[in-house]
């Protein structure tokens, strides 16, 4: 398990979605190689948009060359996946 953080100053600077994305990338850098990511909700805030302006935040191994990381969104994923439920608790603490 890994945790990525984005503070209120970063949220104010780049917006909530971009701050979530950056925090997600920071956590992924700690975890290392993954082949699938499950996000709670219906929005994929982790995948970089085509017009991303701050490529310095992107880990090339995860989002550059090679196979892209597969991201699945699931509404109320915390009700059916214990790892998502645990992440939800950790995020609130």
């Amino acid at each position: 398990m890994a945790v990525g953080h984005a503070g209120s100053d970063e949220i104010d600077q780049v917006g909530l979605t971009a701050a979530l994305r950056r925090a997600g990338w920071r956590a992924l850098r700690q975890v290392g190689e993954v082949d699938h990511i499950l996000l709670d909700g219906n929005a994929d805030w982790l995948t970089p948009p085509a017009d991303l302006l701050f490529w310095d935040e992107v880990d090339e191994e995860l989002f550059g060359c090679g196979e892209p990381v597969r991201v699945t969104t699931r509404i109320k994923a915390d009700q059916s996946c214990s790892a998502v439920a645990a992440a939800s608790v950790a995020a609130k603490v």
Side-chain angles (χ1 to χ4, degrees), residues 3-17:
V3 177
H5 295 277
S8 58
D9 55 335
E10 189 170 17
I11 294 169
D12 290 343
Q13 178 185 4
V14 299
L16 183 58
T17 301

Side-chain angles (χ1 to χ4, degrees), residues 17 20-21 35-47 69-81 84:
T17 301
L20 275 170
R21 184 176 301 114
D35 33 314
H36 191 200
I37 296 170
L38 175 62
L39 296 178
D40 191 17
N42 64 355
D44 177 1
W45 44 263
L46 188 61
T47 302
V69 177
R70 197 173 84 186
V71 176
T72 300
T73 60
R74 184 184 306 160
I75 296 172
K76 300 188 187 246
D78 58 334
Q79 293 180 1
S80 60
C81 178
V84 175

Side-chain angles (χ1 to χ4, degrees), residues 2 12 26 29 67 75 85-86:
D12 290 343
R26 291 171 186 145
R29 284 189 195 110
E67 294 296 315
I75 296 172

Side-chain angles (χ1 to χ4, degrees), residues 18-31:
L20 275 170
R21 184 176 301 114
R22 287 179 177 191
W25 291 339
R26 291 171 186 145
L28 284 170
R29 284 189 195 110
Q30 295 173 43
V31 171

Side-chain angles (χ1 to χ4, degrees), residues 21-22 25 29 47-60 62-65:
R21 184 176 301 114
R22 287 179 177 191
W25 291 339
R29 284 189 195 110
T47 302
D51 62 348
L52 189 66
L53 298 177
F54 46 89
W55 280 105
D56 60 313
E57 286 288 325
V58 178
D59 186 323
E60 288 297 322
L62 292 171
F63 297 105
C65 304

